[in-house]
Amino acid sequence: MAKSIPVYLITGFLGSGKTTVLQKAVHAVKNKGFNPALILNELGEVNVEEGLFDKERMVEMLNGCICCTISADMTRELSLFLDVNEDVDILFIEGTGVADPSEIIEALTHPSLIDKVKLVSTIGMVDGSKFLEYQSIFSSSKEIRDILKKQINSSSLVVLNKIDLAKDRELTKVRKKVGDLVDKRAELIETTHGELSTDVLLKERVLNRDYSIATCDDSCGCKEHEHHDHDHSHHQHNHMFEAITLRDIPAVDRVGFEKWLQSMPEVVRSKGIIQLTETPQLFQYQYASGQLMLHRANDQLVAKPCIILIGSELNGEKIRKNFQQLVHL
């Protein structure tokens, strides 16, 4: 299996310091000898920040938001880009100021990308000098307040930026309100001008694990069916997001598969490619809120059957064995 390129997603509302942190991150990895690539997203038809990264390889996504209108385009364009640029070591994504990070995370776990990239950190930028204004029902909209909450909730590293521009009394309130929104497993750091150490900025904070569904008994010693767990149990609860990928998937019964997904409340989303026992046709599926949705796979789809589970505190080995029971392996 080819290497999966680590992905750092930088999110945050307009003016929070995303581009400044992105510049620092790119500089840091290049100093380490890595080859970065960027996805820059703008809502308009022109990328006004293009000149800041004119020496970098990038995918520009204009006139739309990654998380909604052009998510399919991102999946396709990124896949093609990585096929051509095989020497890319690290990928940085800067979403628009109104992007929902959870939707971008879902796009990155598309079956056609799952072997090519792995999300390792979601960095949420917060403008400490404007946060109370954006949260006020008198000076902002419900949409703005909601997206700010989602950006903070979904981040594995929250950076409270521009604290030098906030008065002490105001900053105390900001700390309390932001702290209430930060996931308990995420890290919250205060800064000015987006100043973060390289170690903090590039720390991997998202857990990715792969398991093979063996078609023979675990005791057979067959290396082809060996499962890979890239985690140690005592580290597991330090990660906010977890993505488990099950591979070598045999055909499954539709009803049994849906019940299996519903039996795991810790799984908040699932997607992938499966073959049903009643037909040789491949299906792409989405699972959310206890509901399974199936769509016939495009004939040009080259990805192999796989199951991607997204949640927190997932017991990968237990999930693998339960699925083996489902398909009678």
Side-chain angles (χ1 to χ4, degrees):
M1 187 186 304
K3 69 172 184 177
S4 293
I5 299 171
V7 178
Y8 291 82
L9 169 60
I10 302 176
T11 183
F13 199 62
L14 303 169
S16 58
K18 297 188 300 296
T19 303
T20 298
V21 167
L22 177 58
Q23 287 180 293
K24 296 177 186 298
V26 170
H27 181 72
V29 299
K30 291 179 76 172
N31 280 347
K32 289 177 173 286
F34 296 118
N35 296 317
L38 317 177
I39 293 182
L40 299 182
N41 186 212
E42 290 288 345
L43 287 172
E45 296 182 354
V46 178
N47 182 5
V48 296
E49 297 172 346
E50 180 181 6
L52 300 175
F53 303 101
D54 56 356
K55 296 182 181 179
E56 311 302 335
R57 285 176 289 183
M58 69 177 74
V59 177
E60 295 179 84
M61 308 206 70
L62 306 176
N63 203 26
C65 178
I66 284 176
C67 64
C68 47
T69 59
I70 59 174
S71 59
D73 290 340
M74 187 196 79
T75 299
R76 181 176 61 254
E77 292 294 330
L78 179 54
S79 184
L80 292 173
F81 176 80
L82 295 176
D83 285 342
V84 175
N85 297 272
E86 296 181 352
D87 61 334
V88 171
D89 298 312
I90 294 178
L91 180 65
F92 295 101
I93 298 177
E94 180 187 342
T96 71
V98 294
D100 181 346
S102 64
E103 299 295 335
I104 302 177
I105 292 168
E106 286 190 34
L108 290 171
T109 55
H110 188 277
S112 65
L113 284 176
I114 195 65
D115 286 335
K116 298 179 180 180
V117 300
K118 62 176 181 178
L119 181 69
V120 297
S121 183
T122 303
I123 302 169
M125 302 297 300
V126 179
D127 183 347
S129 66
K130 295 286 187 179
F131 184 77
L132 293 182
E133 176 184 337
Y134 292 148
Q135 285 292 293
S136 171
I137 61 174
F138 302 106
S139 57
S140 72
S141 66
K142 182 178 184 300
E143 288 75 18
I144 290 177
R145 296 193 296 275
D146 286 346
I147 198 62
L148 279 169
K149 291 177 182 178
K150 288 179 180 178
Q151 289 173 343
I152 295 173
N153 289 155
S154 299
S155 295
S156 52
L157 170 64
V158 178
V159 180
L160 183 55
N161 195 28
K162 301 185 179 183
I163 59 172
D164 56 317
L165 301 180
K167 297 180 180 179
D168 290 345
R169 190 172 179 178
E170 177 186 8
L171 188 56
T172 298
K173 294 180 180 179
V174 172
R175 285 171 175 150
K176 174 65 169 61
K177 289 184 176 294
V178 172
D180 289 341
L181 296 175
V182 176
D183 188 279
K184 62 182 180 181
R185 290 154 295 186
E187 185 173 1
L188 173 61
I189 291 179
E190 296 182 8
T191 187
T192 60
H193 309 292
E195 292 292 345
L196 296 169
S197 71
T198 299
D199 289 342
V200 169
L201 190 57
L202 300 181
K203 181 179 178 181
E204 295 193 6
R205 302 170 186 273
V206 177
L207 183 63
N208 294 271
R209 290 179 287 166
D210 273 13
Y211 291 85
S212 175
I213 301 301
T215 56
C216 53
D217 188 89
D218 288 344
S219 62
C220 74
C222 177
K223 288 295 181 181
E224 181 181 355
H225 303 302
E226 180 181 358
H227 71 273
H228 303 278
D229 187 344
H230 302 295
D231 176 47
H232 298 285
S233 59
H234 61 283
H235 291 154
Q236 187 165 335
H237 298 288
N238 293 331
H239 294 80
M240 180 178 173
F241 299 114
E242 297 178 59
I244 287 179
T245 303
L246 303 182
R247 304 179 188 274
D248 307 317
I249 304 299
V252 297
D253 172 74
R254 185 195 185 284
V255 175
F257 181 61
E258 184 169 15
K259 289 182 178 178
W260 176 72
L261 289 170
Q262 292 171 341
S263 72
M264 298 180 289
E266 68 273 22
V267 173
V268 295
R269 293 297 299 246
S270 181
K271 63 174 61 178
I273 302 170
I274 58 173
Q275 179 184 342
L276 301 178
T277 52
E278 55 265 38
T279 174
Q281 173 73 43
L282 290 178
F283 288 83
Q284 288 184 266
Y285 81 87
Q286 296 275 350
Y287 173 81
S289 302
Q291 299 296 316
L292 176 67
M293 294 168 287
L294 293 167
H295 302 280
R296 288 185 180 274
N298 190 303
D299 291 337
Q300 281 72 48
L301 184 68
V302 296
K304 296 180 179 180
C306 64
I307 294 171
I308 302 160
L309 305 165
I310 302 170
S312 62
E313 300 184 9
L314 303 178
N315 187 326
E317 182 60 22
K318 180 180 179 181
I319 290 173
R320 184 182 78 97
K321 289 182 176 179
N322 285 345
F323 186 81
Q324 286 179 316
Q325 294 175 0
L326 173 67
V327 293
H328 308 295
L329 292 181

